């Protein structure tokens, strides 16, 4: 049949080309844990840079940050209102003029550092600068406000020297006349200053705040970061680190990025071993640099830095036992297993990181039961409120434990731990292909409060997966308990149609109609009623992608040398064979629908128009993806219905005729 072969060839070319096209812009799909090799157990634990440093943050700082721009504007106006009221002046008049000045300054600020390329931007900037030049400072404002505004005006006009003179005059006022803008003026003097005085002036901002001068917009907290940057530029890393930690504690959550920059600067500049030892002596810089190296990729350069850093550390008795787990991980990252064990021996008994590294050492040493037991204790403690445990990648630990439970053939526990790990594809593999039906129902009933990532409700996913599996296994009454309301009504329609179609007391034509109704429901709602969560239908991807088959991959890994731990046993393989999707083809429910359609047509006499329409429609469900499967329906169309219009048209073109399927409505 030339046409059929041509379609098949074109389809083969399209399917073979699609991955090449899609790889450039396709979605990122994480690799499932059940198909990974044993490195999933042996790879070093992953930690987060920020999470690893929270233990060294100052418990409290005297100067909280003000990060909300609206709050900052309100506070600035409150300062003026309080000052005017204290002097017995009309606050409304002064506030209005102050707002006008602030609006002009704010508009000019937008263009101060930004690149203005377009004509419109240049025009708007010119207008803003013109308004700034013409801005007059109201004489009705308190003197300190006038001085600060004049300085701000000159600053945005680019006259830094004159701006500094205005702020300096403000600070020369008697203390009781500069209560509200002293911190502002000192902050801007430090920001625009140069040389050794800059750090001292940032410190003076905080001193003024501590002396009672108003700091309503959090400039004391902001000074931590700017002073730290000044020290960083001078390669004074310890001072910079201490100040960035203070900034972080004050409320600047992005200060961890600055700390990462400091650490990167230290190692990028390849400083001397002597300077490294100095940094290693300081607890804060030691914590930051260690966290940085722990969270870097395993490049040759990073490994060299790790080794240099370990060599620079002071004697272990000069450090706290709380740090031992981190250095155990550093040694483990370098594959120095004996040294890692020495740090573990020195660590506190409840050091989460040390315990995790210990479990990996046990697994690498072939002590599977001991490693699994330790990992189980570790994961249970990870759910506690202890911040030392919460800093770890608990999801990965749960997934490791789930794999060990698969190896032990404790399949319900494996499902529990994959659920804790938020690894949906792995969980779906266990629920859909490994658990027996009774185990699955029991597991679902015992896990009613599952949550997916981003707090999405996992219950509906597990319930629908269960319902679809039960539908495939023809356990219809039980399946209905797990469908959501919308799908339950469709399932009920299908079940009722199948019951009537199977009723031999009905006329053949009636039964055919019911089989056809069931076929249509299966074709239209097959993904939702029968689709497999993983291969071959991939409901978890809405059926839109054809991904790897976990079952096939896992079976292929059974005897692979790199899969000694993460490989299936015979019981698991036997179960996956028993739960095999039939047929094991993409969009398998279309084949189900076509089979039901064939049963419907088979109950009708030869040369029946309804039978011809059913063969034509059912074949069209398969002909594009699987011409060989559709060929069965083509043959029945021309053999059983040769005198019908569709049968004659099919015989003429040696394939399904081109017709509008919407107009072919059997019965």
């Amino acid at each position: 049949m030339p046409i059929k072969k041509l379609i098949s060839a074109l389809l083969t070319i399209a399917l073979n080309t699609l991955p090449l096209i899609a790889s450039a812009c396709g979605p990122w799909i994480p690799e499932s844990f059940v198909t990974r090799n044993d490195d999933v157990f042996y790879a070093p634990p992953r930690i987060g840079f920020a999470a690893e440093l929270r233990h060294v943050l100052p418990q409290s700082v005297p100067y909280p940050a003000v990060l909300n721009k609206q709050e900052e504007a309100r506070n600035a106006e409150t300062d003026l209102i309080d000052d005017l009221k204290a002097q017995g002046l009309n606050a409304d008049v002064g506030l209005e003029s102050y707002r006008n000045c602030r609006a002009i300054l704010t508009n000019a600020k937008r263009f101060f550092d930004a690149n203005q390329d377009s004509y419109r931007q240049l025009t708007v900037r010119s207008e803003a600068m013109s308004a700034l030049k013409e801005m007059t400072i109201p004489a009705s404002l308190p003197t300190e406000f006038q001085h600060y505004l004049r300085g701000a005006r000159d600053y945005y006009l680019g006259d830094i020297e004159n701006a500094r003179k205005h702020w300096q005059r403000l600070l020369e006022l008697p203390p009781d006349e500069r209560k509200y803008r002293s911190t502002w003026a000192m902050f801007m003097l430090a920001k625009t200053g140069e040389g050794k005085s800059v750090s001292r002036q940032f410190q003076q901002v905080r001193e003024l705040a501590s002396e009672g001068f108003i700091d309503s917009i959090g400039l004391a907290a902001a000074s931590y970061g700017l002073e730290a940057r000044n020290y960083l530029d001078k390669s004074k890393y310890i001072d910079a680190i201490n100040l960035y930690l203070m900034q972080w504690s004050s409320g600047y959550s992005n200060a961890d990025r600055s700390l990462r920059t400091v650490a990167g600067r230290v190692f990028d500049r390849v400083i001397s071993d002597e300077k490294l030892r100095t940094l290693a002596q300081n607890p804060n810089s030691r914590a930051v640099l260690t966290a940085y190296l722990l969270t870097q990729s395993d490049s040759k350069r990073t490994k060299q830095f790790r080794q240099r850093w370990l060599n620079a550390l002071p004697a272990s008795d000069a450090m706290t036992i709380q740090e031992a787990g981190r250095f155990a991980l550093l040694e483990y990252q370098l594959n120095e297993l004996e040294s890692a064990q020495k740090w573990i021996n020195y660590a506190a008994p409840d050091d989460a990181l040390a315990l995790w590294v210990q479990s990996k050492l046990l697994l690498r040493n072939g002590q599977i039961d001991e490693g699994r037991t330790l990992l189980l204790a570790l994961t249970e403690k990870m759910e506690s409120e202890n911040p030392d445990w919460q800093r770890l990648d608990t999801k990965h630990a749960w997934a490791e434990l789930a794999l060990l439970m698969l190896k032990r053939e404790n399949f319900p526990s494996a499902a529990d731990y994959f659920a804790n790990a938020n690894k949906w594809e792995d969980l779906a593999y266990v629920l859909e292909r490994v658990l027996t039906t009774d185990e699955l129902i029991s597991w679902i009933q015992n896990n009613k409060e599952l949550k997916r990532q981003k707090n999405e409700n996992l219950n509906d996913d597990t319930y629908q997966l269960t319902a679809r599996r039960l539908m495939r296994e023809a356990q219809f009454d039980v399946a209905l308990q797990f469908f959501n309301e919308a799908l339950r009504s469709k399932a009920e329609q299908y079940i009722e149609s199948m019951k009537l179609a199977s009723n031999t007391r009905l006329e053949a034509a009636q039964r055919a109609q019911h089989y056809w109704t069931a076929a249509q429901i299966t074709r239209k709602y097959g993904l939702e009623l029968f689709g497999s969560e993983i291969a071959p239908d991939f409901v978890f991807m809405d059926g839109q992608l054809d991904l790897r088959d976990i079952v096939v991959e896992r079976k292929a890994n059974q005897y692979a040398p790199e899969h000694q731990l993460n490989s299936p046993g015979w019981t698991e393989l036997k179960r996956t064979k028993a739960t095999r999707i039939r047929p094991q083809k993409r969009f398998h429910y279309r084949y189900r629908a076509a089979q039901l359609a064939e049963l419907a047509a088979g109950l009708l006499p030869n040369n029946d128009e309804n039978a011809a329409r059913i063969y034509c429609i059912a074949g069209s469900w398969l002909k594009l993806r699987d011409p060989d499967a559709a060929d069965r329906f083509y043959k029945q169309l021309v053999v059983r219905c040769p005198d019908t219009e569709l049968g004659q048209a099919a015989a003429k073109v040696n394939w399904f005729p081109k017709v509008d399927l919407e107009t072919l409505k059997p019965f």
Side-chain angles (χ1 to χ4, degrees):
M1 296 178 189
I3 295 179
K4 184 182 78 170
K5 291 181 179 179
L6 176 60
I7 293 174
S8 180
L10 291 174
L11 184 61
T12 301
I13 294 172
L15 291 176
N16 288 336
T17 307
L18 181 59
L20 300 177
I21 300 172
S23 61
C25 57
W28 176 77
I29 302 170
E31 182 185 5
S32 61
F33 272 80
V34 294
T35 58
R36 299 185 190 184
N37 61 30
D38 290 345
D39 284 345
V40 71
F41 300 106
Y42 306 147
R46 294 178 298 175
I47 59 174
F49 180 77
E52 193 61 21
L53 288 179
R54 294 190 186 280
H55 69 284
V56 297
L57 289 179
Q59 294 299 312
S60 62
V61 292
Y63 316 110
V66 178
L67 304 176
N68 185 291
K69 293 298 181 183
Q70 293 179 337
E71 180 183 0
E72 182 180 298
R74 287 195 302 270
N75 291 349
E77 291 183 1
T78 300
D79 291 347
L80 178 61
I81 293 171
D82 291 345
D83 197 1
L84 291 172
K85 287 182 177 179
Q87 298 182 45
L89 301 175
N90 187 334
D92 292 336
V93 176
L95 182 60
E96 185 64 27
S97 59
Y98 179 71
R99 282 177 176 168
N100 292 335
C101 291
R102 288 269 299 180
I104 294 172
L105 289 170
T106 301
N107 195 34
K109 183 179 180 182
R110 293 167 47 209
F111 304 96
F112 187 67
D113 296 318
N115 291 323
Q116 310 301 322
D117 298 324
S118 70
Y119 175 78
R120 179 181 181 281
Q121 289 173 323
L122 289 171
T123 302
V124 174
R125 183 183 187 280
S126 177
E127 293 173 354
M129 291 300 105
S130 295
L132 186 63
K133 290 177 182 178
E134 297 171 2
M135 183 181 82
T136 57
I137 309 302
S140 59
L141 294 178
T143 304
E144 62 175 314
F145 285 84
Q146 294 183 44
H147 282 310
Y148 184 81
L149 289 174
R150 290 191 182 98
R153 178 190 59 193
D154 291 345
Y155 174 75
Y156 289 120
L157 287 172
D159 189 352
I160 305 300
E161 182 179 355
N162 213 33
R164 289 176 60 84
K165 290 179 180 179
H166 289 299
W167 293 325
Q168 191 61 53
R169 291 192 192 103
L170 189 160
L171 292 172
E172 291 170 358
L173 294 173
D176 59 346
E177 295 181 18
R178 54 181 176 88
K179 179 180 178 180
Y180 295 95
R181 288 297 179 265
S182 289
T183 55
W184 294 43
M186 185 60 72
F187 182 86
M188 291 306 297
L189 285 172
K191 186 176 179 179
T192 57
E194 296 177 354
K196 297 180 180 180
S197 64
V198 172
S199 293
R200 177 60 193 139
Q201 287 175 326
F202 279 125
Q203 293 166 14
Q204 286 180 298
V205 174
R206 300 192 290 275
E207 290 173 3
L208 287 168
S210 67
E211 292 170 6
F213 290 93
I214 302 300
D215 180 28
S216 57
I217 61 172
L219 294 174
S223 71
Y224 288 129
L226 291 177
E227 185 184 356
R229 187 172 65 184
N230 184 55
Y231 281 127
L232 176 60
D233 292 340
K234 298 176 181 178
S235 298
K236 294 184 176 182
Y237 302 117
I238 294 177
D239 292 327
I241 286 171
N242 289 335
L243 285 165
Y244 279 132
L245 288 171
M246 294 292 286
Q247 183 193 28
W248 192 354
S249 286
S250 73
Y252 284 89
S253 59
N254 60 349
D256 64 302
R257 301 177 189 175
S258 301
L259 289 166
R260 188 184 289 274
T261 298
V262 176
R265 187 82 61 87
V266 168
F267 292 110
D268 287 344
R269 295 192 173 180
V270 195
I271 64 176
S272 67
D273 291 343
E274 181 181 355
K275 290 183 178 179
L276 269 185
R277 284 192 292 270
T278 300
L279 290 168
Q281 292 287 339
N282 181 273
N284 285 347
S285 57
R286 186 166 66 237
V288 170
L289 297 178
T290 300
Y292 176 81
L293 290 175
L294 287 174
T295 53
Q296 294 300 293
S297 59
D298 288 330
S299 65
K300 180 179 179 180
R301 189 163 176 265
T302 299
K303 290 179 180 179
Q304 292 174 344
F305 288 154
R306 286 170 179 161
Q307 190 60 65
R308 287 190 65 206
W309 183 240
L310 286 167
N311 294 339
L313 294 177
S316 57
D317 57 3
M319 296 182 286
T320 64
I321 61 173
Q322 285 75 22
E323 298 177 85
R326 302 179 185 98
F327 300 123
L329 178 53
L330 267 182
E331 297 282 12
Y332 188 84
Q333 289 175 331
L334 291 169
N335 205 34
E336 297 291 340
L337 306 187
E338 291 185 9
S339 298
Q341 187 63 62
K342 290 179 181 178
W343 281 110
I344 291 171
N345 296 339
Y346 179 68
D350 61 346
D351 187 320
L353 199 50
L355 290 174
W356 198 350
V357 175
Q358 180 70 82
S359 74
K360 291 182 175 292
L361 291 175
L362 290 170
L363 292 175
R364 292 181 69 149
N365 200 37
Q367 296 171 271
I368 309 303
D369 290 338
E370 293 87 343
R372 181 177 56 242
T373 300
L374 182 56
L375 192 57
L376 178 59
L378 176 71
T379 48
E380 288 176 345
K381 288 187 177 181
M382 282 178 178
E383 302 305 310
S384 69
E385 297 299 321
N386 188 335
D388 185 54
W389 296 80
Q390 293 179 345
R391 76 188 212 261
L392 302 182
D393 182 2
T394 59
K395 305 305 181 187
H396 197 285
W398 280 116
E400 287 183 39
L401 185 57
L403 293 176
L404 291 173
M405 289 302 174
L406 273 181
K407 187 69 175 178
R408 196 182 186 187
E409 298 187 343
N410 186 343
F411 304 125
S413 292
D416 288 338
Y417 301 146
F418 277 135
N420 290 344
N422 270 330
K423 301 302 177 184
W424 175 245
E425 191 178 2
D426 299 282
L427 174 60
Y429 165 73
V430 177
L431 297 182
E432 190 166 66
R433 301 301 303 273
V434 180
L435 296 186
T436 65
T437 304
D438 290 341
E439 287 174 342
L440 172 61
I441 294 173
S442 176
W443 189 89
I444 292 295
Q445 292 174 340
N446 292 330
N447 291 271
K448 297 181 178 180
E449 299 299 329
L450 296 176
K451 297 290 183 182
R452 288 189 80 172
Q453 291 177 350
K454 299 182 182 178
N455 293 321
E456 296 175 0
N457 194 311
L458 188 61
N459 284 340
D460 190 57
D461 295 311
T462 55
Y463 274 46
Q464 304 318 304
L465 179 153
T466 302
R468 293 194 304 272
R469 175 175 165 179
L470 292 170
M471 289 288 285
R472 293 195 299 271
E473 296 174 358
Q475 299 193 43
F476 301 133
D477 292 337
V478 185
L480 291 176
Q481 302 174 26
F482 297 98
F483 275 124
N484 59 39
E485 186 175 349
L487 289 176
R488 187 180 299 115
S489 64
K490 300 301 179 184
E492 288 172 342
Q493 293 174 30
Y494 171 85
I495 294 168
E496 181 63 22
S497 297
M498 289 299 293
K499 286 180 179 178
L500 293 171
S502 303
N503 187 352
T504 56
R505 296 179 181 179
L506 296 178
E507 296 289 336
Q510 290 179 298
R511 294 176 60 201
Q513 290 186 46
H514 293 304
Y515 270 128
W516 177 241
T517 299
Q520 289 179 294
I521 293 173
T522 303
R523 176 60 185 89
K524 187 172 183 179
Y525 301 102
L527 186 68
E528 295 85 352
L529 297 181
F530 297 96
S532 59
E533 190 70 20
I534 52 176
D537 299 323
F538 302 103
V539 171
F540 83 100
M541 295 298 295
D542 294 326
Q544 296 180 7
L545 295 178
D546 189 3
L547 307 176
R548 61 191 177 277
D549 189 329
I550 288 178
V551 176
V552 173
E553 284 194 36
R554 194 155 168 80
K555 183 178 180 180
N557 295 334
Q558 186 177 16
Y559 298 111
E562 67 274 17
H563 284 269
Q564 294 184 29
L565 272 180
N566 192 16
S567 59
W570 285 110
T571 300
E572 181 182 337
L573 291 177
K574 183 178 179 181
R575 290 185 174 205
T576 58
K577 184 177 181 180
T579 56
R580 185 174 182 268
I581 312 298
R582 291 179 174 83
Q584 186 69 22
K585 293 184 177 182
R586 184 95 165 99
F587 306 120
H588 94 279
Y589 49 87
R590 295 181 184 177
Y591 295 86
R592 281 178 170 266
Q595 185 180 35
L596 292 172
E598 186 177 12
L599 290 174
L603 289 171
L604 299 173
N606 291 342
N607 289 313
D608 184 275
E609 288 291 344
N610 287 322
R613 292 174 181 178
I614 290 173
Y615 286 133
C616 190
I617 295 173
S620 71
W621 294 341
L622 305 176
K623 66 181 182 182
L624 292 179
R625 288 191 60 89
D626 194 346
D628 288 336
D631 186 48
R632 174 186 182 89
F633 295 87
Y634 159 75
K635 288 177 178 177
Q636 293 188 79
L637 173 59
V638 296
V639 171
R640 288 199 62 220
C641 307
D643 296 335
T644 64
E645 183 179 348
L646 287 172
Q648 292 174 357
K652 186 176 181 179
V653 298
N654 291 331
W655 195 232
F656 295 99
K658 291 183 178 181
V659 293
D660 184 1
L661 296 179
E662 293 297 322
T663 65
L664 298 181
K665 295 186 181 296
F667 309 109

